[in-house]
Structure formats: structure tokens, C-alpha cells
Amino acid sequence: MAVAETCGPARSTRRRDPNDVTRMKRIAVWAFYAVGALAIAYLALYAYAAFTGRELQPGDPIHIFRRPDAPDYS
């Protein structure tokens, strides 16, 4: 009984260049830092808005600003 060869090209037994793995790890670390920096910036912006925003008192009306010439749908 004969065994047929595979149709595709022969697989290379060459190992991956160690510099490629190092480069990918470095990119992953920078991506992790970038996501962390964005999260910290978002939290800082949220804290700024929360602490410097207008105080809401119970009973104060909510002011919704509309154009004076806007149509009235109600």
C-alpha cells in the first residue's frame, strides 16, 4: 500500500525568530499601558466633572435648553 503525499507545500521546520516574539511582547506591553492610560484619563475626567459640576438641590427644576423656534410636538 502506497501513501500519497500531501497536496500543499512542505511545512518548514524552521523556528520562529526570537526577535519576533520579543517584538510582539513589547507591542503587547505598550498596548496594555495605552489602555491603562486611557482608563486613568477617563477616571480623572469623570472625577473632575463630578467635583466641579453644578450641585443639584432637591426641588430644583431641570433646565432643558431648546431653540426658541423649535416645533412643539406635545
Side-chain angles (χ1 to χ4, degrees):
M1 184 187 300
V3 178
E5 290 186 33
T6 59
C7 295
R11 294 186 73 188
S12 174
T13 57
R14 195 182 104 196
R15 289 182 165 237
R16 187 179 293 195
D17 186 12
N19 289 333
D20 290 341
V21 175
T22 304
R23 189 175 304 122
M24 290 179 70
K25 285 182 181 178
R26 189 175 299 133
I27 290 171
V29 167
W30 278 106
F32 182 77
Y33 287 159
V35 169
L38 284 174
I40 290 171
Y42 176 80
L43 288 174
L45 184 62
Y46 179 80
Y48 172 77
F51 291 124
T52 62
R54 188 171 66 96
E55 293 259 342
L56 291 177
Q57 298 294 328
D60 281 351
I62 298 174
H63 299 286
I64 299 174
F65 299 100
R66 299 179 66 219
R67 289 190 338 230
D69 58 341
D72 187 15
Y73 294 109
S74 57

